[in-house]
Amino acid sequence: MPRPRSTTTLPDLSGRLAVVTGASDGVGLVVARRLAAAGAEVLLPVRSPAKGRAALETITAAVPRARVSLRELDLASLASVAALGRTLAEEGRPVHLLVANAGVMTPPARTTTADGHELQLGVNHLGHVALVAHLLPLLAAGRVRVVSQISIAAMRGSVRWDDPDWEQRYDGQAAYSSSKIAQGLFALELDRRSRAHGWGLTCALSHPGVVPTGLLAARPEMGRDRDTPQVRLIRHLSRWGLAGTLETAPLPALVAATAPEPAGGLMFGPRGLGHVSGGPAEQALFRPLRSTADAARVWGWSERLAGVRLPEGALEPVAPWRGATS
């Protein structure tokens, strides 16, 4: 199979609808801005309306003709995910690109979602599982490219099968790795099932390397009242070119989302030493992501925890959208 080219010049995306989670700041904001600049209509589902409006203003200042809008979404609430699914179903637009980018990282103490799940599992993984489940007809109608933004932390560790919510002996870093491994395995299984049943979804993985985003910065809402030593170090390394920047870190996700050749089942990340920085390139799957048995297992495990059911076979036909041509 021909491999996608590692290019950062995006194709013309006019007529395409892109949904980018976690686009109110950081890597997701740059992904959304670049997609809008390439002509896509970009939908930003955000938890904070104020941050969403600021992101919208940032994008339209850089891309005056951008078509970008906000919707409400809190990935830490499965009810909020379901509500967004209903809203978009009522709008009826096929979705052509879905970038599952939103995430939280290493709360200093165990924190839970509105549904009682450990926060990183809930936001990084289960919220996106539920989003795919609720939007599946629209994703299939758009022959969607799904990009799951995982992390270099998925290079090590395993899924916490028997204690998914870390009720025993919470370890923030291990829980983060577990959530990202689960997210990656689910995306790979989604790609396999789509091909087997003709759903029309193509799913790829990306990771941004190491970059000074807000994930490790002060986050009072997560019990972190000051920047971590790690993010201070990463900012220093980034200035010297030894870690990624907010302009380079989004490139793997953009390549995964727009590469002209099939990208299903592939992973993209920075090509530099240790995959922490540099231009985007296809990479071998991290070892914890290579087990097809684990991917099949995470499917039903995720459905149960997220409270959703995904189809076992072919999808019901979707009525064609009567809006502007896509």
Side-chain angles (χ1 to χ4, degrees):
M1 182 181 74
R3 295 307 196 193
R5 295 188 295 273
S6 294
T7 175
T8 54
T9 302
L10 304 190
D12 181 8
L13 299 176
S14 299
R16 301 285 175 177
L17 177 63
V19 176
V20 184
T21 68
S24 58
D25 58 16
V27 169
L29 176 56
V30 180
V31 169
R33 188 196 78 211
R34 290 289 305 272
L35 294 175
E41 181 178 349
V42 183
L43 190 155
L44 311 183
V46 297
R47 181 175 60 87
S48 165
K51 289 183 68 175
R53 288 190 295 270
L56 193 150
E57 290 170 4
T58 297
I59 293 171
T60 53
V63 187
R65 296 185 180 180
R67 299 178 65 201
V68 57
S69 60
L70 303 177
R71 300 294 186 280
E72 183 178 344
L73 174 65
D74 181 359
L75 285 164
S77 164
L78 294 173
S80 176
V81 178
L84 177 64
R86 289 192 296 271
T87 296
L88 295 184
E90 289 169 1
E91 294 176 10
R93 294 283 309 277
V95 177
H96 304 94
L97 295 172
L98 171 61
V99 183
N101 166 79
V104 294
M105 185 175 182
T106 59
R110 181 179 176 274
T111 307
T112 58
T113 68
D115 307 285
H117 295 299
E118 190 275 323
L119 186 65
Q120 296 173 100
L121 173 72
V123 172
N124 301 348
H125 177 51
L126 298 180
H128 285 120
V129 169
L131 186 62
V132 167
H134 291 298
L135 296 186
L136 192 57
L138 300 180
L139 303 179
R143 312 295 290 183
V144 74
R145 177 79 58 89
V146 178
V147 179
S148 283
Q149 182 84 291
I150 59 166
S151 166
I152 201 168
M155 191 178 291
R156 298 179 185 84
S158 61
V159 175
R160 183 85 159 201
W161 300 110
D162 298 327
D163 184 21
D165 292 314
W166 295 82
E167 294 173 295
Q168 304 170 25
R169 301 178 67 181
Y170 173 73
D171 181 321
Q173 183 61 53
Y176 180 67
S177 297
S178 177
S179 73
K180 288 297 185 176
I181 293 167
Q183 184 185 9
L185 287 169
F186 181 86
L188 294 169
E189 184 68 9
L190 179 61
D191 186 77
R192 280 190 281 270
R193 293 191 182 219
S194 176
R195 283 187 277 110
H197 301 308
W199 294 348
L201 285 68
T202 304
C203 308
L205 306 181
S206 64
H207 77 87
V210 175
V211 60
T213 68
L215 280 178
L216 288 169
R219 297 282 296 275
E221 75 277 13
M222 284 179 30
R224 184 185 296 135
D225 59 2
R226 64 184 67 185
D227 292 349
T228 63
Q230 295 97 316
V231 78
R232 292 197 292 269
L233 174 61
I234 292 167
R235 287 172 187 152
H236 179 73
L237 294 175
S238 181
R239 287 192 291 269
W240 287 93
L242 300 175
T245 70
L246 281 179
E247 290 302 317
T248 63
L251 299 180
L254 289 166
V255 171
T258 64
E261 293 88 4
L266 302 183
M267 184 177 79
F268 299 85
R271 65 161 61 93
L273 181 65
H275 304 304
V276 300
S277 63
E282 182 189 337
Q283 297 178 3
L285 292 175
F286 296 145
R287 187 174 299 278
L289 301 175
R290 296 176 191 171
S291 169
T292 55
D294 281 353
R297 183 181 181 186
V298 89
W299 186 266
W301 182 85
S302 302
E303 285 183 312
R304 176 175 60 82
L305 292 171
V308 295
R309 287 286 292 176
L310 287 144
E312 295 292 333
L315 298 176
E316 293 292 328
V318 177
W321 183 59
R322 299 300 182 185
T325 338
S326 59

